[in-house]
Amino acid sequence: MTLSQHVISSISPVEIGARYPRPVGRNAFRGHHGTGPTETAYVVSTSRGATGWGLPLGPGDPGALIGRNLFELIDPAVGVTDSAALFLDYPLHDLAARILDVPVHVMLGAAGSPTVRCYSGGIYFDDLDDGLPVIAKNLAQDHGSGFRDFKLKIGRGYRWMPPSEGLQRDIEITRLTRSLYPDAEILVDANDGYSVNTLVSYLEAVADCNLYWLEEPFAERWEDLEFLRDHPAVPARIADGEFEPDVDRIVRFGAAGLIDVALMDVIGHGLTAWRRTMPGLPMKASPHAWGLPLKTLYAAHLAAGLGNIDIIEGVPGDTLGTVDNGYTLADGLLTLPDRPGFGILTL
């Protein structure tokens, strides 16, 4: 069955929530992240009984799309083609792939593997509230749920601790993680909370920890990134582009060898935009996914469909409002189900 046989008959909101396995604490800039947010998703139905659903990219007018032919809104080869429908980027991809009876990543081109490396992004500053041992407890909990690699939030000295004490705590937790999990890839994320000098002190102190990447150490400046590129203590990968990115600027940084991994958000950038951006990207990508476990599943389809993604951000927890989705996480690898669309069923 082709998309042109389907007319949009209804677009209905549905509440989708996240439930983290534990309350998530602070990072360098923000306060406590709680036990999981609630978001409004949309279910899109057609005149022939097909449905698809997903998170919106932002506000839009569902009523303006009722009665429209689906083929006028999305081209399976490129994504959403009508700007008025772009806020339903993910629901329309889910709908189109279900009608075509293929997983979204196959519709995207199947350039990557349907088994995707996935790290835990849930190690925040919980030690500030519950003491240092809680970090080991959180690492163990995420390891037990299937993660093998961990991203650590650093930058405690930016807002929450005196600078020197915060730096020492960042170092201590990095070294603790390496001692507990000698085979893990360790990623660190400062949320722009470091100065260049503090960053150098940190990197020199953890040089033997063999960091996988350094994420958003400070607000991007060409000169500072050049300095990092040439410093011997800097890990092999610099990841950036999550916070309010100028995508063209991030691409220029990548072309100059100053950023190695582009982090534009799964939702903030959007699936259609990622389909447009990825072929010309001069570096690897790993779309930011924190907030909802559902975003991790979207990132997995981007990796499996578009390729050029070595590892994705895992959000520990469950998506409320859905039933068994067929995804499995084991030994640090997230395996996608062989189901049409994103393969996720709502209650």
Side-chain angles (χ1 to χ4, degrees):
M1 186 175 294
T2 65
L3 302 193
S4 61
Q5 295 176 278
H6 290 260
V7 173
I8 303 298
S9 58
S10 68
I11 301 173
S12 304
V14 58
E15 293 301 308
I16 296 294
R19 180 176 55 205
Y20 303 148
R22 57 185 178 267
V24 175
R26 293 168 271 184
N27 64 17
F29 270 87
R30 288 185 54 192
H32 292 84
H33 287 65
T35 56
T38 299
E39 301 286 348
T40 298
Y42 284 95
V43 178
V44 182
S45 302
T46 77
S47 56
R48 299 183 70 93
T51 61
W53 74 276
L55 295 171
L57 303 191
D61 181 6
L65 304 179
I66 304 300
R68 297 284 303 278
N69 191 289
L70 182 59
F71 188 71
E72 298 174 352
L73 305 181
I74 183 170
D75 179 348
V78 298
V80 175
T81 54
D82 188 317
S83 60
L86 191 58
F87 78 104
L88 295 178
D89 201 3
Y90 282 92
L92 290 175
H93 272 87
D94 188 49
L95 175 60
R98 291 189 188 203
I99 290 170
L100 297 174
D101 198 30
V102 296
V104 167
H105 69 87
V106 172
M107 192 171 77
L108 298 183
S113 169
T115 297
V116 183
R117 192 172 181 179
C118 182
Y119 67 82
S120 167
I123 309 300
Y124 277 63
F125 294 177
D126 295 356
D127 56 292
L128 301 183
D129 302 298
D130 300 316
L132 188 60
V134 77
I135 298 298
K137 179 181 177 182
N138 293 349
L139 289 165
Q141 185 176 40
D142 290 351
H143 187 276
S145 66
F147 294 104
R148 295 296 178 267
D149 307 313
F150 308 98
K151 185 167 79 176
L152 312 177
K153 293 293 187 178
I154 59 174
R156 289 166 176 80
Y158 178 81
R159 180 179 177 187
W160 308 110
M161 298 178 72
S164 62
E165 294 179 20
L167 172 61
Q168 290 307 309
R169 180 66 62 83
D170 290 347
I171 293 168
E172 185 177 7
I173 285 174
T174 305
R175 301 193 68 83
L176 172 66
T177 304
R178 176 52 72 215
S179 69
L180 292 173
Y181 299 97
D183 297 325
E185 298 291 1
I186 297 177
L187 307 80
V188 296
D189 179 6
N191 290 109
D192 292 338
Y194 267 24
S195 67
V196 174
N197 290 337
T198 303
L199 178 64
V200 168
S201 297
Y202 168 78
L203 292 174
E204 289 177 346
V206 301
D208 59 335
C209 290
N210 190 29
L211 300 180
Y212 181 84
W213 83 30
L214 169 66
E215 179 174 333
E216 294 203 312
F218 38 62
E220 305 91 2
R221 291 181 67 249
W222 192 279
E223 296 82 359
D224 293 339
L225 289 170
E226 281 186 322
F227 173 81
L228 281 188
R229 180 187 60 188
D230 298 331
H231 196 282
V234 174
R237 303 168 188 85
I238 303 296
D240 217 318
E242 168 200 339
F243 181 69
E244 298 181 353
D246 178 333
V247 176
D248 290 339
R249 188 164 176 253
I250 295 299
V251 170
R252 290 197 299 272
F253 282 138
L258 303 181
I259 293 178
D260 305 288
V261 186
L263 299 176
M264 289 82 76
D265 190 80
V266 166
I267 298 297
H269 196 49
L271 179 48
T272 295
W274 268 114
R275 297 182 72 173
R276 183 174 59 250
T277 300
M278 192 71 85
L281 203 62
M283 69 275 243
K284 292 288 186 176
S286 182
H288 175 259
W290 180 258
L292 295 168
L294 180 57
K295 292 174 65 176
T296 294
L297 308 187
Y298 288 164
H301 277 271
L302 280 165
L306 302 180
N308 196 42
I309 296 173
D310 292 336
I311 194 168
I312 63 170
E313 180 170 35
V315 181
D318 302 314
T319 299
L320 303 178
T322 65
V323 296
D324 174 41
N325 56 38
Y327 295 75
T328 59
L329 176 66
D331 290 326
L333 299 174
L334 181 65
T335 301
L336 283 66
D338 186 22
R339 295 178 179 175
F342 289 109
I344 310 165
L345 306 178
T346 57
L347 293 175

